[in-house]
């Protein structure tokens, strides 16, 4: 077969990939290709039929398919963007050759000047968290169940317990309730929910679904189909409190126990990964440690809002187009951005110098634990870049701050981000 | 389901032993029926075990286990090509940590030599660490057994059964033996939910239930104790932690908690050993997992627990004296027991099949060879392992090879469809998983599970709500929701 050539190749047609394609075109890429493994564009948004998407970007409350639809139409209208659906990328080489397979096109081999990884993430499974018990039917990850209910129209259960209070778990609690199922409880290992506050309120509190914080599931009952789960309280070290165990009958256990960026392709290419985000280490252009390979969206770090995913796609798309045209500033030096006290992760993990005049870099951060009245500080050896008071900070909600790169002198060793309670030396 | 009213031999139990026996008997001009109570074969001990082809130095020289282990290991070398088995001849190490362990290794070496195991050698600490750099630094030496290997245990069971079926045997799934009809001290038939199968010869290969089957024929001569073992399986990303099968020096009841690679490029640790009364208790337990982790850390201290992808447990079928029970029943002539098949049962299975065949002959079964017996299974292409050219031509011949269903293991729709329509094809989601690995990767079916369910529904021509995960009552989904769930093209 003939090898095809593109300026920018994007792996993944979800919100990050779609935004990246449009932004790459806008920044001057002539030929862009999106390789999507599913039958249609849109990624996980297609199964997210609830509202709340696009508040930042469009100042509107759209559904997932609604939000995706806007991008898909723009992508489809742009003749400079080639879309391959049902195209599963199996291998990417450092020379930017990509191999994919599809039932209609067979083997697809193409070459690009710049590549953007936008493969999203996958769900952590029961096996990864070692829940004891049987292995009956009726244990699903919340996202898989969401696809079945919202896209295929099948109920995974009628009497449900959800482990994990991540956003998908919370949204599925409401969704299953609306479909007539009884949601017995949401069980959360941590002393706080990992989801957006608005989801705790709108999906649990509004439906009087109990949330058992600092609890876990100690046993899955049922040899063929789930018949119930044992639940127990955990102490501050997440060890089970003896005698606290109770039984919840159910026919289905949904797991919302974390998302893991899908970096199989990146790993196979030895792209440097961040041990905490599980995504590639990127700079402000979303360029990875391998020249000309960019990454955006949940493959970099798991986002709470799709609006930020699109924003990251914008950055990666523009940067990849500039790279393809030889216009991206060549890095002479990197300054690492480090998460310290109170902050778990920060993206980008490094800033490449020199930067353009007036350039601002947006940092996306996650708090280590919930704090009320805290101070976010971003400093270099030369001084403070940002200091901001946060009334509430939660691990489930991304903290966003812009830093002006003019203040970063090339002899700064690193940029340090902290989040401290205001009583502890914060302003 | 077809009703079968007579057979020359009925084999009860579709595990590795029952399947190997059926295949061995399919060499002869016989009507063979293999009965399996569950939805699929390899659902008991054969699906949850250490997946190891033991070298054969463990068992005392006089017992069945010793003879049949060494013979079975040799037979697998012949069967590998014929049946297209996945085997890795990795060798095994039994490691010692103190003088007591070292004395055990010396014993094993002598016993192994008596058993006829080739190539055994005692290695010093440095030699062991050179082969296995991730082992605990306090080990003092090891017994090296180059003939040990790793195998896909359910793959082997499918391969035996498939070959038996290709050679004329009949597999009846979801067909438990309800009773064994005995007339004048001889077997006369097996009663199933579909009626009685008249037969003069029955092979009892019912695993942990072999004593229950014996009792159906009025034979109370043995009892099977179920001994549970728990396992933790790790992602491919940590496969290189060990290169061969690593055992600790053994105890009286068990070979100990080991760490071993799998033929599919994963890694596992386990099993512990707990006697249990409930023969359906295959639950993983917190204590069991802790024991397995503690035991494995004695061998490899830096165990990558974050890379665990699943846990499971299985039951060993242990007989009172610890040896295999291979004999004709005294209570019911024509009933041949292949019972008490615990480790090294997987390794011994093809040898057990030969013994069972001989016992049936002694019991009066006429064995005349079939001219058209075909010992070979066809090669099934595994997309993941092919070159780009091969992949490209496969897709050209069948576009379903171009649709990757399981992302983690790169399993295509064509492979899944073939697995459903092969002899003893998959009926359940886990049946597909065990045949082609869709869903056995790090996402454990999070993405592909619903798709495999839909493919099964389509290929078996049943509603989605009838597709089962694994066992008889393990339906995955409830009602179809009312209305049209198509996502509209506009907002």
């Amino acid at each position: 077969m003939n090898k095809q050539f593109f300026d920018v190749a994007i792996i993944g047609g979800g919100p990050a990939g779609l935004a990246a394609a449009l932004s790459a075109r806008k920044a001057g890429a002539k030929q862009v290709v999106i390789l999507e493994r599913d039958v249609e564009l849109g990624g996980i948004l297609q199964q997210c039929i609830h509202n709340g998407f696009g508040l930042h970007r469009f100042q509107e409350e759209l559904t997932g398919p609604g939000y995706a639809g806007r991008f898909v139409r723009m992508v489809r209208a742009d003749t400079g963007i080639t879309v391959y659906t049902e195209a599963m990328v199996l291998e990417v080489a450092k020379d930017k050759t990509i191999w994919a397979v599809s039932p209609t096109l067979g083997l697809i081999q193409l070459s690009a000047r710049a590549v953007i990884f936008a493969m999203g993430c996958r769900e952590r499974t029961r096996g990864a968290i070692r829940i004891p018990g049987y292995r009956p039917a009726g244990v699903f990850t919340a996202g898989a169940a969401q696809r079945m209910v919202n896209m295929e129209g099948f109920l995974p259960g009628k009497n449900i317990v959800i482990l994990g209070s991540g956003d998908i778990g919370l949204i599925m609690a409401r969704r299953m309730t609306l479909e007539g199922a009884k949601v017995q409880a949401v069980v959360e290992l941590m002393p706080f929910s990992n989801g957006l506050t608005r989801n705790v309120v709108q999906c649990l509190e509004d439906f009087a679904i109990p949330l058992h914080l600092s609890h876990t599931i100690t046993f899955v009952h049922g040899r063929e189909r789930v018949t119930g789960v044992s639940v127990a309280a955990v102490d501050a070290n997440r060890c089970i409190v003896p005698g606290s165990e109770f039984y919840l009958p159910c026919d289905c256990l949904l797991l919302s126990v974390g998302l893991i960026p899908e970096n199989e392709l990146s790993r196979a290419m030895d792209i440097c990964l961040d041990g905490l985000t599980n995504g590639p280490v990127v700079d402000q252009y979303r360029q990875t440690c391998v020249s000309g390979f960019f990454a955006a969206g949940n493959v970099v770090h798991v986002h709470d809002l799709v609006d930020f995913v699109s924003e990251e796609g914008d950055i990666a798309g523009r940067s990849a187009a500039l790279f393809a045209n030889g216009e991206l500033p060549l890095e002479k030096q990197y300054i690492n951005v480090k998460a310290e006290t109170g902050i778990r992760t920060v993206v980008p993990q490094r800033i490449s110098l020199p930067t353009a005049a007036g350039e601002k870099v947006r940092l996306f951060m996650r708090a280590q634990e919930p704090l009320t009245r805290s101070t976010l500080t971003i400093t270099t050896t030369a001084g403070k870049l940002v200091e901001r008071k946060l009334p509430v900070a939660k691990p489930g909600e991304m903290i966003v701050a812009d830093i002006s790169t003019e203040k970063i002198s090339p002899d700064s060793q690193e940029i340090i981000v902290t989040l401290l309670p205001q009583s502890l030396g914060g302003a | 389901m077809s009703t079968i009213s007579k057979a020359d031999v009925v084999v009860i139990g579709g595990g590795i032993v029952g399947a190997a026996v059926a295949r061995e008997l399919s060499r002869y001009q016989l009507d063979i029926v293999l009965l399996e109570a569950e939805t699929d074969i390899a659902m008991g001990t054969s699906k949850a075990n250490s997946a190891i082809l033991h070298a054969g130095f463990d068992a005392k020289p006089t017992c069945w286990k010793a003879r049949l282990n060494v013979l079975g290991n040799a037979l697998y070398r012949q069967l590998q090509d014929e049946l297209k088995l996945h085997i890795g001849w990795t060798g095994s190490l039994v490691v010692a940590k103190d003088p007591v362990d070292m004395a055990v290794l010396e014993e094993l070496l002598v016993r192994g030599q008596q058993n006829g195991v080739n190539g055994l050698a005692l290695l010093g600490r440095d030699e062991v660490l050179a082969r296995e750099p991730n082992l605990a630094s306090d080990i003092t030496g090891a017994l090296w057994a180059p003939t040990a290997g790793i195998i896909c245990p359910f793959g082997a069971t499918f391969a035996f059964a498939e070959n038996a079926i290709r050679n004329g045997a009949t597999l009846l799934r979801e067909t438990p033996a309800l009773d064994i009809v005995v007339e004048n001290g001889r077997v006369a038939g097996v009663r199933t939910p579909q009626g009685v199968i008249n037969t003069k010869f029955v092979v009892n290969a019912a695993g942990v239930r072999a004593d229950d089957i014996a009792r159906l024929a009025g034979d109370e001569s043995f009892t099977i104790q179920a001994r549970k073992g728990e396992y933790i399986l790790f992602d491919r990303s940590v496969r290189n932690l060990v290169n061969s099968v690593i055992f600790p020096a053994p105890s009286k009841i068990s070979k100990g908690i080991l760490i071993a690679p799998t033929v599919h490029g994963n890694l596992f640790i386990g099993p512990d050993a707990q006697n249990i009364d409930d023969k359906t208790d295959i639950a993983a337990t917190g204590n069991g997992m802790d024991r397995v982790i503690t035991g494995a850390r004695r061998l490899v201290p830096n165990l990558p627990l974050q890379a665990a992808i699943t846990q499971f447990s299985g039951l060993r079928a242990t007989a009172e004296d610890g040896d295999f029970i291979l004999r004709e029943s005294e209570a019911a002539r024509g009933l041949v027991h292949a019972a008490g098949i615990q480790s090294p049962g997987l390794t011994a299975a093809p040898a057990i099949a030969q013994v069972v065949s001989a016992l049936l002959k002694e019991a009066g079964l006429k064995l005349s060879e079939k001219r058209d017996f075909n010992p070979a299974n066809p090669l099934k292409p595994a997309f993941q392992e092919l070159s780009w050219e091969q992949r490209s031509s496969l897709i050209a011949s069948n576009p379903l090879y171009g649709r990757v269903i399981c992302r983690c293991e790169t399993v295509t729709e064509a492979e899944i469809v073939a697995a459903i329509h092969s002899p003893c094809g998959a009926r359940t989601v886990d049946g597909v998983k065990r045949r082609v690995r869709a869903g056995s990767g790090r996402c454990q079916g999070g993405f592909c599970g619903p798709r495999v369910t839909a493919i099964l529904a389509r290929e078996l021509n049943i509603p989605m709500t009838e597709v089962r995960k694994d066992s008889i009552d393990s339906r995955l989904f409830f009602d179809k929701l009312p209305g049209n769930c198509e996502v509209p093209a506009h907002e």
Side-chain angles (χ1 to χ4, degrees), chain A residues 37 44 47 119-129 139-148 162-164 166-169 172 253-262 264 298 302, chain B residues 308-309 407-408 441-448 450:
Chain A
R37 59 190 157 200
I44 295 300
Q47 67 188 55
M119 292 88 76
C121 57
R122 62 188 156 83
E123 297 181 277
R124 180 169 279 130
T125 64
R126 174 182 175 181
I129 56 171
V139 181
F140 296 90
T141 56
Q146 185 179 49
R147 183 182 173 98
M148 286 315 285
I162 297 172
L163 177 63
D167 286 310
I168 318 170
M172 282 306 287
L253 171 64
L254 296 185
L255 302 175
S256 173
V257 293
L259 299 168
I260 304 165
E262 184 127 294
E264 279 63 31
N298 284 351
V302 175
Chain B
I309 57 175
R407 303 172 182 181
C408 302
R442 58 181 70 89
C443 92
Q444 288 287 296
F447 286 117
C448 67

Side-chain angles (χ1 to χ4, degrees), chain B residues 365-402:
Chain B
L365 180 68
K366 193 164 165 272
L367 301 180
S368 17
E369 289 200 14
K370 208 186 276 173
R371 279 180 175 224
D372 56 352
F373 173 73
N374 179 356
N377 281 337
L379 189 65
K380 298 188 179 84
F383 192 78
Q384 188 179 28
E385 291 158 18
L386 303 178
S387 69
W388 289 112
E389 291 73 23
Q390 290 169 314
R391 288 172 176 176
S392 189
S393 67
L394 268 184
I395 301 171
S397 70
N398 178 358
L400 295 187
Y401 276 107

